[in-house]
PDB file of all heavy atoms in Angstrom:
ATOM      1  N   GLN B 226     -14.149  -9.053  34.618  1.00 81.00           N
ATOM      2  CA  GLN B 226     -13.485  -7.769  34.434  1.00 81.00           C
ATOM      3  C   GLN B 226     -14.000  -6.950  33.261  1.00 81.00           C
ATOM      4  O   GLN B 226     -13.304  -6.106  32.721  1.00 81.00           O
ATOM      5  CB  GLN B 226     -11.968  -7.983  34.276  1.00 81.00           C
ATOM      6  CG  GLN B 226     -11.396  -8.582  35.529  1.00 81.00           C
ATOM      7  CD  GLN B 226      -9.950  -8.984  35.388  1.00 81.00           C
ATOM      8  OE1 GLN B 226      -9.415  -9.061  34.282  1.00 81.00           O
ATOM      9  NE2 GLN B 226      -9.318  -9.229  36.500  1.00 81.00           N
ATOM     10  N   GLN B 227     -15.233  -7.252  32.852  1.00 84.00           N
ATOM     11  CA  GLN B 227     -15.852  -6.460  31.788  1.00 84.00           C
ATOM     12  C   GLN B 227     -17.175  -5.929  32.321  1.00 84.00           C
ATOM     13  O   GLN B 227     -17.846  -6.596  33.091  1.00 84.00           O
ATOM     14  CB  GLN B 227     -16.165  -7.350  30.573  1.00 84.00           C
ATOM     15  CG  GLN B 227     -14.975  -8.033  29.971  1.00 84.00           C
ATOM     16  CD  GLN B 227     -14.328  -7.194  28.879  1.00 84.00           C
ATOM     17  OE1 GLN B 227     -14.620  -6.016  28.726  1.00 84.00           O
ATOM     18  NE2 GLN B 227     -13.420  -7.808  28.139  1.00 84.00           N
ATOM     19  N   TRP B 228     -17.545  -4.743  31.860  1.00 86.00           N
ATOM     20  CA  TRP B 228     -18.863  -4.200  32.210  1.00 86.00           C
ATOM     21  C   TRP B 228     -19.859  -4.614  31.147  1.00 86.00           C
ATOM     22  O   TRP B 228     -19.777  -4.155  30.018  1.00 86.00           O
ATOM     23  CB  TRP B 228     -18.811  -2.673  32.308  1.00 86.00           C
ATOM     24  CG  TRP B 228     -18.067  -2.161  33.506  1.00 86.00           C
ATOM     25  CD1 TRP B 228     -16.838  -1.583  33.534  1.00 86.00           C
ATOM     26  CD2 TRP B 228     -18.535  -2.163  34.859  1.00 86.00           C
ATOM     27  NE1 TRP B 228     -16.489  -1.227  34.810  1.00 86.00           N
ATOM     28  CE2 TRP B 228     -17.522  -1.571  35.661  1.00 86.00           C
ATOM     29  CE3 TRP B 228     -19.713  -2.609  35.496  1.00 86.00           C
ATOM     30  CZ2 TRP B 228     -17.635  -1.412  37.039  1.00 86.00           C
ATOM     31  CZ3 TRP B 228     -19.818  -2.444  36.878  1.00 86.00           C
ATOM     32  CH2 TRP B 228     -18.787  -1.855  37.631  1.00 86.00           C
ATOM     33  N   LEU B 229     -20.816  -5.483  31.507  1.00 83.00           N
ATOM     34  CA  LEU B 229     -21.776  -5.949  30.509  1.00 83.00           C
ATOM     35  C   LEU B 229     -23.110  -5.223  30.661  1.00 83.00           C
ATOM     36  O   LEU B 229     -23.606  -5.032  31.771  1.00 83.00           O
ATOM     37  CB  LEU B 229     -21.998  -7.457  30.652  1.00 83.00           C
ATOM     38  CG  LEU B 229     -20.748  -8.307  30.450  1.00 83.00           C
ATOM     39  CD1 LEU B 229     -21.117  -9.785  30.379  1.00 83.00           C
ATOM     40  CD2 LEU B 229     -20.015  -7.900  29.171  1.00 83.00           C
ATOM     41  N   PRO B 230     -23.686  -4.817  29.510  1.00 85.00           N
ATOM     42  CA  PRO B 230     -24.959  -4.078  29.568  1.00 85.00           C
ATOM     43  C   PRO B 230     -26.115  -5.036  29.898  1.00 85.00           C
ATOM     44  O   PRO B 230     -26.137  -6.179  29.436  1.00 85.00           O
ATOM     45  CB  PRO B 230     -25.104  -3.535  28.142  1.00 85.00           C
ATOM     46  CG  PRO B 230     -24.343  -4.504  27.288  1.00 85.00           C
ATOM     47  CD  PRO B 230     -23.220  -5.028  28.128  1.00 85.00           C
ATOM     48  N   LEU B 231     -27.070  -4.564  30.697  1.00 80.00           N
ATOM     49  CA  LEU B 231     -28.199  -5.413  31.076  1.00 80.00           C
ATOM     50  C   LEU B 231     -29.441  -5.123  30.246  1.00 80.00           C
ATOM     51  O   LEU B 231     -30.244  -6.020  29.991  1.00 80.00           O
ATOM     52  CB  LEU B 231     -28.521  -5.209  32.559  1.00 80.00           C
ATOM     53  CG  LEU B 231     -27.351  -5.576  33.496  1.00 80.00           C
ATOM     54  CD1 LEU B 231     -27.734  -5.314  34.943  1.00 80.00           C
ATOM     55  CD2 LEU B 231     -26.963  -7.036  33.312  1.00 80.00           C
ATOM     56  N   GLU B 232     -29.573  -3.866  29.788  1.00 82.00           N
ATOM     57  CA  GLU B 232     -30.747  -3.526  28.977  1.00 82.00           C
ATOM     58  C   GLU B 232     -30.720  -4.355  27.702  1.00 82.00           C
ATOM     59  O   GLU B 232     -29.676  -4.435  27.032  1.00 82.00           O
ATOM     60  CB  GLU B 232     -30.693  -2.039  28.585  1.00 82.00           C
ATOM     61  CG  GLU B 232     -31.154  -1.113  29.700  1.00 82.00           C
ATOM     62  CD  GLU B 232     -30.944   0.358  29.305  1.00 82.00           C
ATOM     63  OE1 GLU B 232     -30.019   0.670  28.532  1.00 82.00           O
ATOM     64  OE2 GLU B 232     -31.708   1.181  29.805  1.00 82.00           O
ATOM     65  N   ASN B 233     -31.853  -4.939  27.379  1.00 80.00           N
ATOM     66  CA  ASN B 233     -31.990  -5.737  26.153  1.00 80.00           C
ATOM     67  C   ASN B 233     -31.119  -6.983  26.129  1.00 80.00           C
ATOM     68  O   ASN B 233     -30.959  -7.613  25.090  1.00 80.00           O
ATOM     69  CB  ASN B 233     -31.680  -4.909  24.897  1.00 80.00           C
ATOM     70  CG  ASN B 233     -32.541  -3.669  24.825  1.00 80.00           C
ATOM     71  OD1 ASN B 233     -33.762  -3.759  24.856  1.00 80.00           O
ATOM     72  ND2 ASN B 233     -31.910  -2.511  24.764  1.00 80.00           N
ATOM     73  N   HIS B 234     -30.493  -7.319  27.254  1.00 80.00           N
ATOM     74  CA  HIS B 234     -29.702  -8.547  27.310  1.00 80.00           C
ATOM     75  C   HIS B 234     -30.675  -9.709  27.523  1.00 80.00           C
ATOM     76  O   HIS B 234     -31.336  -9.779  28.548  1.00 80.00           O
ATOM     77  CB  HIS B 234     -28.692  -8.467  28.459  1.00 80.00           C
ATOM     78  CG  HIS B 234     -27.628  -9.533  28.375  1.00 80.00           C
ATOM     79  ND1 HIS B 234     -27.900 -10.859  28.234  1.00 80.00           N
ATOM     80  CD2 HIS B 234     -26.275  -9.437  28.403  1.00 80.00           C
ATOM     81  CE1 HIS B 234     -26.770 -11.550  28.177  1.00 80.00           C
ATOM     82  NE2 HIS B 234     -25.759 -10.705  28.272  1.00 80.00           N
ATOM     83  N   PRO B 235     -30.774 -10.611  26.555  1.00 78.00           N
ATOM     84  CA  PRO B 235     -31.802 -11.653  26.651  1.00 78.00           C
ATOM     85  C   PRO B 235     -31.551 -12.586  27.830  1.00 78.00           C
ATOM     86  O   PRO B 235     -32.484 -13.242  28.303  1.00 78.00           O
ATOM     87  CB  PRO B 235     -31.672 -12.396  25.318  1.00 78.00           C
ATOM     88  CG  PRO B 235     -30.282 -12.105  24.842  1.00 78.00           C
ATOM     89  CD  PRO B 235     -29.937 -10.750  25.361  1.00 78.00           C
ATOM     90  N   LEU B 236     -30.344 -12.702  28.302  1.00 78.00           N
ATOM     91  CA  LEU B 236     -30.030 -13.676  29.350  1.00 78.00           C
ATOM     92  C   LEU B 236     -29.463 -12.984  30.582  1.00 78.00           C
ATOM     93  O   LEU B 236     -28.644 -13.555  31.300  1.00 78.00           O
ATOM     94  CB  LEU B 236     -29.015 -14.685  28.810  1.00 78.00           C
ATOM     95  CG  LEU B 236     -29.431 -15.398  27.512  1.00 78.00           C
ATOM     96  CD1 LEU B 236     -28.239 -15.998  26.815  1.00 78.00           C
ATOM     97  CD2 LEU B 236     -30.484 -16.454  27.793  1.00 78.00           C
ATOM     98  N   HIS B 237     -29.904 -11.739  30.801  1.00 74.00           N
ATOM     99  CA  HIS B 237     -29.274 -10.957  31.878  1.00 74.00           C
ATOM    100  C   HIS B 237     -29.436 -11.614  33.249  1.00 74.00           C
ATOM    101  O   HIS B 237     -28.598 -11.460  34.120  1.00 74.00           O
ATOM    102  CB  HIS B 237     -29.808  -9.522  31.906  1.00 74.00           C
ATOM    103  CG  HIS B 237     -31.281  -9.446  32.141  1.00 74.00           C
ATOM    104  ND1 HIS B 237     -31.801  -9.336  33.392  1.00 74.00           N
ATOM    105  CD2 HIS B 237     -32.327  -9.449  31.279  1.00 74.00           C
ATOM    106  CE1 HIS B 237     -33.127  -9.285  33.297  1.00 74.00           C
ATOM    107  NE2 HIS B 237     -33.462  -9.356  32.030  1.00 74.00           N
ATOM    108  N   HIS B 238     -30.539 -12.417  33.388  1.00 77.00           N
ATOM    109  CA  HIS B 238     -30.755 -13.066  34.688  1.00 77.00           C
ATOM    110  C   HIS B 238     -29.666 -14.106  34.963  1.00 77.00           C
ATOM    111  O   HIS B 238     -29.470 -14.520  36.092  1.00 77.00           O
ATOM    112  CB  HIS B 238     -32.133 -13.720  34.712  1.00 77.00           C
ATOM    113  CG  HIS B 238     -32.369 -14.628  33.544  1.00 77.00           C
ATOM    114  ND1 HIS B 238     -32.808 -14.171  32.310  1.00 77.00           N
ATOM    115  CD2 HIS B 238     -32.186 -15.965  33.395  1.00 77.00           C
ATOM    116  CE1 HIS B 238     -32.897 -15.186  31.461  1.00 77.00           C
ATOM    117  NE2 HIS B 238     -32.521 -16.277  32.096  1.00 77.00           N
ATOM    118  N   ARG B 239     -28.958 -14.545  33.909  1.00 79.00           N
ATOM    119  CA  ARG B 239     -27.909 -15.544  34.133  1.00 79.00           C
ATOM    120  C   ARG B 239     -26.557 -14.913  34.444  1.00 79.00           C
ATOM    121  O   ARG B 239     -25.577 -15.622  34.690  1.00 79.00           O
ATOM    122  CB  ARG B 239     -27.786 -16.455  32.903  1.00 79.00           C
ATOM    123  CG  ARG B 239     -28.987 -17.409  32.798  1.00 79.00           C
ATOM    124  CD  ARG B 239     -28.941 -18.227  31.550  1.00 79.00           C
ATOM    125  NE  ARG B 239     -27.716 -19.018  31.410  1.00 79.00           N
ATOM    126  CZ  ARG B 239     -27.435 -19.761  30.343  1.00 79.00           C
ATOM    127  NH1 ARG B 239     -28.283 -19.804  29.339  1.00 79.00           N
ATOM    128  NH2 ARG B 239     -26.321 -20.451  30.288  1.00 79.00           N
ATOM    129  N   LEU B 240     -26.483 -13.608  34.388  1.00 77.00           N
ATOM    130  CA  LEU B 240     -25.209 -12.960  34.725  1.00 77.00           C
ATOM    131  C   LEU B 240     -25.111 -12.800  36.238  1.00 77.00           C
ATOM    132  O   LEU B 240     -26.046 -12.319  36.878  1.00 77.00           O
ATOM    133  CB  LEU B 240     -25.118 -11.589  34.058  1.00 77.00           C
ATOM    134  CG  LEU B 240     -25.153 -11.580  32.521  1.00 77.00           C
ATOM    135  CD1 LEU B 240     -25.075 -10.150  32.003  1.00 77.00           C
ATOM    136  CD2 LEU B 240     -24.018 -12.423  31.953  1.00 77.00           C
TER     137      LEU B 240
END
Side-chain angles (χ1 to χ4, degrees):
Chain B
Q226 297 173 346
Q227 301 270 13
W228 289 107
L229 299 190
L231 299 179
E232 280 174 330
N233 304 304
H234 194 308
L236 305 161
H237 60 91
H238 52 276
R239 288 175 57 184
L240 298 179

